[in-house]
Amino acid sequence: MEDIKRSCVDCAVGLCDEGEGNFPEFCRTTHMDPDIKAEALKEYQEEENKNIAISSAMVEAEGYGVYPRAQEIVEFAKKMGYKKIGIATCVGLLKEARAFTKLLRHHGFEVTGVACKAGSTPKTDIGIDDAACGVGDFICNPILQAKILNEENCDLKVVMGLCVGHDSLFYKYAEGVVTTLITKDRVTGHNPAVVLYQLDSYYSKLMK
């Protein structure tokens, strides 16, 4: 078996959360480049970064184990003083997007959104093979979604259920602050973590 360079994803200890203890020999905390750490900490002094870090820490402290994620986004946006929120949604989650919009507007936010199929562009127009048209003829267009929400000067952009890869393109082209409300997983009812809890049982087939 090929040697694996171990890191935090191989750790079962998590003592970095306590700041002391018997750290594993591959621990990033005890083997960290001090220059990289210093560079990262310096970035928190940038005004927006600092405000985001403080606001998110306060939401975590106030709502840990109490606020569902939709409420966390509401409370975070309030603490940041945001006024306009843009939603990039999958067309398959328009019902959920409308519900989230109702919640945001109830709390006084201006809300705009754009669905992934906006523009009705055929997949073949950008070089996607006909074989991929079995689940629809038109492209998901996350770059367009990002550009529209950028143009509308949203304070915060929220991703709701964009497909794997499509979400990557949205994050790549979106300007400003982005968070995710729903990570789409059609098989698990949008709960992708459940697969990880069952790799030794129901989803052991994935390890073959």
Side-chain angles (χ1 to χ4, degrees):
M1 182 177 177
E2 184 180 349
D3 288 341
I4 297 174
K5 184 177 180 180
R6 302 196 180 276
S7 64
C8 293
V9 294
D10 301 294
C11 178
V13 181
L15 288 171
C16 54
D17 194 37
E18 301 175 12
E20 59 183 14
N22 295 317
F23 296 98
E25 61 181 17
F26 57 82
C27 181
R28 285 196 182 274
T29 294
T30 56
H31 294 80
M32 183 172 293
D33 183 335
D35 291 335
I36 293 177
K37 181 178 180 180
E39 288 173 11
L41 291 176
K42 183 179 179 181
E43 293 296 333
Y44 288 102
Q45 299 310 307
E46 190 274 329
E47 184 176 4
E48 184 180 46
N49 293 346
K50 189 170 187 176
N51 289 339
I52 290 172
I54 292 172
S55 296
S56 56
M58 292 305 299
V59 171
E60 179 188 23
E62 295 165 4
Y64 196 86
V66 178
Y67 295 167
R69 188 170 181 91
Q71 185 179 1
E72 287 185 327
I73 293 173
V74 168
E75 300 301 328
F76 171 71
K78 286 181 178 179
K79 291 183 184 301
M80 288 296 296
Y82 293 152
K83 303 298 182 184
K84 187 173 183 179
I85 296 178
I87 298 174
T89 184
C90 169
V91 291
L93 279 87
L94 284 171
K95 179 180 178 181
E96 292 84 351
R98 290 196 303 272
F100 187 49
T101 296
K102 180 179 179 180
L103 175 65
L104 291 172
R105 286 176 176 160
H106 173 76
H107 285 273
F109 296 103
E110 179 184 355
V111 185
T112 187
V114 55
C116 61
K117 300 292 185 179
S120 299
T121 303
K123 290 179 177 178
T124 51
D125 281 8
I126 64 168
I128 297 174
D129 193 270
D130 284 332
C133 294
V135 291
D137 294 327
F138 300 108
I139 65 169
C140 295
N141 200 333
I143 297 177
L144 178 64
Q145 288 176 290
K147 288 184 174 293
I148 288 174
L149 295 181
N150 291 343
E151 185 70 21
E152 296 199 14
N153 296 314
C154 300
D155 298 312
L156 175 67
K157 299 176 180 70
V158 180
V159 171
M160 293 188 65
L162 301 186
C163 296
V164 171
H166 297 154
D167 57 356
S168 302
L169 286 172
F170 181 83
Y171 299 135
K172 181 177 180 178
Y173 284 89
E175 298 171 356
V177 184
V178 182
T179 192
T180 301
L181 176 56
I182 298 175
T183 299
K184 182 168 64 185
D185 189 329
R186 301 176 186 89
V187 175
T188 66
H190 313 310
N191 180 17
V194 73
V195 175
L196 308 180
Y197 302 138
Q198 297 180 346
L199 278 179
D200 295 328
S201 55
Y202 187 76
Y203 284 99
S204 60
K205 59 187 178 183
L206 299 180
M207 302 298 290
K208 295 180 180 178

